[in-house]
Amino acid sequence: MPAPSPYTSPEQEADLRRLGSRLRDHRKALGVTAVACAESAGVSRVTLHRIEAGNPSVTIGAYCNVAAALGLHLVVPVVERTTGEPPTVTVGDYPGLRALAWQTDAGTTVTEAQALNLYERGWRHLDQAVLTDRERAFIQHLADTYSHGALLV
């Protein structure tokens, strides 16, 4: 069974899908079967399929092996992100989040990713009766945006 996929942003997911698609297109252009490519790269056919789908749980080494098997050299440039600041939330705006971040002031701001982390780590201690509909919708937004729709509790 494959390892669970780590959190990846929508931009990262799109990058991996593009990479997988380019590898698949190149393999097909060469007329190489998936089985032959996988064997040449030293990976299973299932792993090759996951690479071509852009699955983030596959190791970068496996991506490199597939590229090499196709006569390509995989180069991953490190580029500074040019987008603005990550979205933030004020701890005191949500009763459940405030209870989980009890050691901070109500006016403290955290990124949405940090808020998700607080909810996930403290879920078993959270009195769900205090969650408002607005906060429940916010938690679902965090799960959808940062962890593929699932709260990891």
Side-chain angles (χ1 to χ4, degrees):
M1 175 178 245
S5 297
Y7 166 74
T8 50
S9 71
E11 296 87 12
Q12 292 166 324
E13 289 176 2
D15 289 342
L16 287 171
R17 281 192 304 271
R18 278 193 301 275
L19 173 59
S21 178
R22 289 187 68 188
L23 291 171
R24 181 182 53 250
D25 292 346
H26 190 73
R27 175 182 62 78
K28 288 183 175 185
L30 293 174
V32 176
T33 67
V35 171
C37 180
E39 287 176 0
S40 179
V43 299
S44 70
R45 185 191 52 75
V46 172
T47 298
L48 175 64
H49 174 73
R50 290 172 42 223
I51 288 170
E52 290 181 347
N55 188 306
S57 69
V58 179
T59 67
I60 190 70
Y63 276 89
C64 290
N65 288 349
V66 168
L70 296 172
L72 301 172
H73 179 76
L74 183 61
V75 176
V76 181
V78 178
V79 180
E80 292 287 329
R81 182 175 286 200
T82 58
T83 61
E85 295 294 315
T88 60
V89 61
T90 303
V91 170
D93 288 350
Y94 300 99
L97 184 59
R98 177 71 185 114
L100 293 173
W102 57 268
Q103 73 281 14
T104 64
D105 293 327
T108 301
T109 58
V110 295
T111 66
E112 286 188 349
Q114 290 169 325
L116 176 63
N117 187 302
L118 285 166
Y119 282 117
E120 289 180 336
R121 285 187 299 130
W123 191 257
R124 64 188 171 137
H125 304 292
L126 184 61
D127 179 6
Q128 295 188 25
V130 303
L131 297 179
T132 62
D133 288 340
R134 179 175 169 258
E135 186 167 15
R136 289 180 193 282
F138 176 63
I139 293 168
Q140 188 60 55
H141 157 74
L142 294 175
D144 291 343
T145 304
Y146 298 99
S147 60
H148 307 292
L151 197 60
L152 303 175
V153 294

